[in-house]
Amino acid sequence: MLQQVNGHNSSPDAHGRKRLREDLQEFLGREAPLHLLDDLTKVNPVTLETVLRCLQARYMADTFYTNAGCTLVALNPFKPVPQLYSPELMREYHAAPQPQKLKPHIFSVGEQTYRNVKSLIEPVNQSIVVSGESGAGKTWTSRCLMKFYAVVAASPTSWESHKIAERIEQRILNSNPVMEAFGNACTLRNNNSSRFGKFIQLQLNRAQQMTGAAVQTYLLEKTRVACQASSERNFHIFYQICKGASADERLQWHLPEGAAFSWLPNSERTLEEDCFEVTREAMLHLGINTPTQNNIFKVRRTAVALRFGRGDGQLFS
Ligand SMILES: Nc1ncnc2c1ncn2[C@@H]1O[C@H](COP(=O)(O)OP(=O)(O)OP(=O)(O)O)[C@@H](O)[C@H]1O
């Protein structure tokens, strides 16, 4: 609710409305381009229109991050912007004397949080809340943060500890494809929508090096296994298995080539998330060996679920 505009009380009288309109016009007609406003707290008057116009101008100028005080607003570019996430840029934010003075970026949030842990005499846990509607870019942002910490929170001196740190980083990053295979699905709004909530904990030692991670998941949308809205799909893993299993595995898992399953709609759509190999490789890096993986994939319940969902309602022998 708008309470104050340029120091004037925004009472709904005619005079107040006139002043607000004038302020709005002055703001929108000013010479300084809107896309240069890197903090929404500088937008004045604060109205839905001025905030959206500012974000729109920044989006048009390929500027996808804007501060709003101590909050960062991230716009989904819906296109690859590799230069925005390069290791060089991560190091620049990490090395900056005052990262908050650099352009708004998720790395700036990551670095400030990292420094908050570092600068305290007794380390205190720090949290970053990533929120937004479906498709806004939460998963992407969390992945960026994990990659950022994998780079900045790993600079041990000895070669041996460097190798250990590298293994931990790889494991942390490899948890993403596995979690996404089992917990993400293609929806109307997002081809790779997380159908669960997660709390990711990154653990640092006293030297602020990453020593491990824990992921707690909750509220998995289990009903999706048996019931999907039209134009949506089941969890990625089912399509990965059906599309990527070898002839031997098909035999073991009772999955005939080309069989159609009513619980796996829209399987003719090919998504980059359909790659079984990526999931298997990531599981291997997480320490889940091939026999254990096979046990997971042939889990009776999975097979039974798929079989019951066969178009004609018949079970395979
Ligand atoms: N910063 C970015 N740069 C490039 N592409 C992005 C970025 N953020 C998001 N995307 C694209 O938008 C898609 C949707 O983003 P993401 O899966 O992170 O949304 P989400 O908020 O986690 O959605 P959900 O709540 O449905 O899981 C991504 O698959 C990616 O293609």
Side-chain angles (χ1 to χ4, degrees), residues 13-49:
D13 59 47
H15 179 67
R17 281 201 300 273
K18 187 165 168 276
R19 279 306 294 265
L20 177 60
R21 254 198 317 275
E22 282 167 8
D23 286 345
L24 198 67
Q25 263 160 16
E26 188 189 322
F27 175 78
L28 295 175
R30 56 200 217 118
E31 270 173 33
L34 273 185
H35 73 267
L36 295 180
L37 275 181
D38 61 2
D39 195 323
L40 293 177
T41 56
K42 295 178 191 160
V43 171
N44 196 355
V46 183
T47 66
L48 191 61
E49 184 176 0

Side-chain angles (χ1 to χ4, degrees), residues 76-79 85 133-140 190 192-194:
N76 185 341
F78 285 109
K79 64 178 180 189
Y85 303 103
E133 62 178 321
S134 177
K138 301 181 294 293
T139 310
W140 180 282
N190 183 358
N192 188 29
S193 182
S194 311

Side-chain angles (χ1 to χ4, degrees), residues 264-279:
L264 299 189
N266 303 306
S267 54
E268 68 289 349
R269 283 191 64 185
T270 304
L271 304 180
E272 62 175 293
E273 287 80 15
D274 283 348
C275 190
F276 194 30
E277 259 322 293
V278 171
T279 305

Side-chain angles (χ1 to χ4, degrees), residues 44 125 135 148 152 227 232 266 273 282 284 300 310:
N44 196 355
N125 291 334
F148 178 75
V152 306
C227 184
E232 295 203 349
N266 303 306
E273 287 80 15
L284 216 54
R300 286 270 181 273
R310 213 180 121 182

